[in-house]
């Protein structure tokens, strides 16, 4: 795949990725792993892990990793530009449109935009759930702990995430030690 | 707000946004809405507009927030600043995860990372809904919840394209708003 094809694919995925990064990840997987076979499944799963682990929008993270893998630094820059192109081209014109229409029209439109926002957030989280649904016992435990701490207890977000990752890291370290 | 302050704020949001766009949404709420730079109503509009176009919605939200606060320079600053962490951190983390041995411990760690990502998106979905409609049993809230559940089910079960949902929803709500 040359750099131009990579840019075209990334623009295409950018414009198809309703719901943000999770949708972009699903689309990249469909094209590059399933259809073209350019990236091994194993390597792609590492990319997903890193994209969610690193702060920042996961669509940009996965585009960066894929670009780097397929075309070095130029590839990384081009695929990032491709994925972000809808934002650059559409968001400010759309914002003007929303602000400058007749108030009678926008009353309903605003409610509609809120509904769209909330639904797409729900949809994206369910897509990710579908990806991790191939669960074994240990993963189920991790799901339960993560959910209970964040949702039910209403725990403060950042300390919970950092603590959760530290505990998982410690468990993985100890299990690897004892495995030797 | 000075542009220099905005640069620092964008970097802060970028480096704190573990879990991608959903976390970015909450951080923008914390640093722009709770500090009264942007009103809650305007914020709900920003979120709705951001989900209307495809691509990484976290960047749509930060970009628009920057635009509302400081015009076009604010848009560019917020986009670049909140992308910077992915560019700096993505390569080392990806190589770290690729280098992990394939023991059950590192599998647990990797799945933990993904589960956290999922919990974060779900948390963001609840937050978007609560911010836009409130968690109550008013008829409007119940109607919206049922409407969202129906469309989410259609999109997941029959792989309906999200663009169709967005187009129909905005049309229906705009017409409804004019007629009522």
């Amino acid at each position: 795949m040359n750099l131009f094809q990579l840019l075209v694919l990334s623009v295409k995925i950018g414009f198809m990725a309703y719901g943000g990064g999770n949708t972009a990840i699903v689309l990249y997987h469909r094209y590059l792993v399933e259809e073209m076979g350019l990236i091994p499944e194993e390597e792609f799963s590492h990319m997903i892990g890193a994209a969610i682990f690193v702060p920042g929008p996961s669509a940009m993270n996965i585009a960066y990793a894929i670009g780097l893998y397929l075309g070095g630094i130029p590839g990384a820059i081009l695929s990032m530009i491709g994925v972000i192109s809808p934002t650059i081209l559409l968001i400010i014109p759309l914002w003007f449109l929303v602000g400058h229409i007749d108030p009678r029209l926008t009353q309903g439109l605003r409610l509609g935009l809120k509904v769209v926002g909330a639904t797409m957030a729900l949809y994206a989280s369910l897509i990710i759930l579908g990806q991790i649904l191939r669960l074994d016992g240990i993963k189920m435990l991790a799901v339960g702990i993560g959910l209970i701490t964040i949702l039910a207890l209403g725990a403060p977000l950042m300390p919970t995430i950092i603590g959760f990752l530290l505990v998982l890291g410690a468990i993985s370290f100890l299990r690897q030690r004892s495995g030797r | 707000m000075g542009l220099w302050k905005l640069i620092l704020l964008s970097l802060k949001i970028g480096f704190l946004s573990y879990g991608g766009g959903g976390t970015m949404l909450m951080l923008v709420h914390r640093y722009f809405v709770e500090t009264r730079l942007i009103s809650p109503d305007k914020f709900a509009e920003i979120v709705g507009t951001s989900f209307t176009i495809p691509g990484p919605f976290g960047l749509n939200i930060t970009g628009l927030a920057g635009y509302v606060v400081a015009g076009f320079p604010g848009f560019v600053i917020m986009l670049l600043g909140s992308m910077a962490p992915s560019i700096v951190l993505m390569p080392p983390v990806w190589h770290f995860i690729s280098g992990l041995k394939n023991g059950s411990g590192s599998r647990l760690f990797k799945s933990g990372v993904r589960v956290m990502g999922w919990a974060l998106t779900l948390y963001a979905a609840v937050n978007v809904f609560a911010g836009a409609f409130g968690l109550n049993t008013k008829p409007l809230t119940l109607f919206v919840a049922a409407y969202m559940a129906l469309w989410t089910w259609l999109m997941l079960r029959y792989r309906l394209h999200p663009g169709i949902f967005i187009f129909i929803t905005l049309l229906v709500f705009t017409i409804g708003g004019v007629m009522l």
Side-chain angles (χ1 to χ4, degrees):
Chain A
M1 173 173 267
N2 63 35
L3 289 178
F4 182 70
Q5 285 171 317
L6 185 63
L7 178 66
V8 171
L9 178 71
S10 297
V11 170
K12 189 172 160 189
I13 285 176
F15 273 90
M16 284 165 73
Y18 281 98
N22 311 319
T23 320
I25 289 174
V26 174
L27 291 171
Y28 266 126
H29 186 267
R30 191 182 296 170
Y31 286 116
L32 290 174
V33 181
E34 289 171 26
E35 287 182 11
M36 302 181 199
L38 285 172
I39 302 176
E41 184 74 52
E42 173 82 8
E43 194 64 35
F44 196 81
S45 78
H46 295 320
M47 288 177 185
I48 295 180
I52 292 177
F53 192 86
V54 168
S58 37
M60 299 309 286
N61 291 348
I62 196 89
Y64 184 57
I66 284 168
L68 214 54
Y69 186 86
L70 292 177
I73 300 281
I77 294 171
L78 285 181
S79 57
M80 282 173 97
I81 291 176
V83 169
I84 205 185
S85 56
T87 304
I88 297 172
L89 296 176
L90 296 179
I91 193 78
I92 290 185
L94 188 67
W95 181 247
F96 267 104
L97 206 64
V98 171
H100 286 79
I101 313 172
D102 189 296
R104 264 183 344 128
L105 278 171
T106 53
Q107 193 186 15
L109 183 64
R110 277 178 196 164
L111 183 62
L113 286 175
K114 286 182 191 174
V115 175
V116 166
T119 311
M120 290 317 291
L122 180 68
Y123 174 66
S125 84
L126 288 176
I127 283 187
I128 283 212
L129 178 66
Q131 284 178 338
I132 58 175
L133 252 186
R134 286 156 282 171
L135 296 166
D136 54 26
I138 285 176
K139 286 184 195 166
M140 282 297 274
L141 192 69
V143 172
I145 294 171
L147 262 190
I148 289 167
T149 41
I150 290 192
L151 287 176
L153 298 179
L157 196 67
M158 282 309 295
T160 316
I161 297 167
I162 293 169
F164 191 78
L165 289 178
L166 281 179
V167 170
L168 279 177
I171 293 173
S172 87
F173 179 70
L174 287 176
R175 285 174 62 143
Q176 273 179 348
R177 288 272 309 252
S178 65
R180 262 171 221 157
Chain B
M1 182 182 230
L3 289 186
W4 181 240
K5 257 185 158 174
L6 199 64
I7 293 175
L8 289 180
L9 192 57
S10 71
L11 288 174
K12 198 166 163 185
I13 288 178
F15 274 100
L16 286 177
S17 60
Y18 293 94
T23 317
M24 256 179 187
L25 189 156
M26 283 179 278
L27 290 169
V28 170
H29 188 270
R30 182 169 304 165
Y31 291 117
F32 284 89
V33 181
E34 285 170 26
T35 54
R36 292 166 194 280
L37 287 167
I38 294 175
S39 69
D41 262 9
K42 201 123 204 156
F43 180 68
E45 265 175 57
I46 289 178
V47 173
T49 313
S50 299
F51 277 105
T52 306
I53 64 163
F57 65 83
L59 290 178
N60 295 344
I61 294 172
T62 54
L64 265 189
Y67 184 79
V68 169
V69 171
F72 194 71
F75 175 71
V76 177
I77 287 173
M78 286 301 293
L79 273 193
L80 291 179
S82 46
M83 271 161 60
S86 7
I87 298 169
V88 178
L89 293 176
M90 193 62 197
V93 172
W94 175 29
H95 285 291
F96 171 73
I97 292 184
S98 305
L100 279 179
K101 295 220 169 60
N102 252 341
S104 57
S106 66
R107 273 220 327 271
L108 176 66
F109 183 72
K110 286 175 195 168
S111 61
V113 167
R114 292 174 75 179
V115 168
M116 285 309 294
W118 171 63
L120 284 169
T121 31
L122 185 65
Y123 186 79
V126 175
N127 260 19
V128 174
F129 188 82
F133 304 103
L135 294 174
N136 52 43
T137 50
K138 286 180 195 161
L140 177 69
T141 315
L142 292 179
F143 168 73
V144 168
Y147 185 86
M148 283 173 56
L150 173 70
W151 277 102
T152 310
W153 180 71
L154 283 176
M155 285 191 288
L156 288 172
R157 178 73 180 77
Y158 298 103
R159 297 177 69 89
L160 196 71
H161 198 282
I164 298 171
F165 153 71
I166 292 172
F167 180 74
I168 292 179
T169 302
L170 293 183
L171 199 68
V172 164
F173 276 83
T174 306
I175 293 171
V178 173
M179 283 168 66
L180 293 176

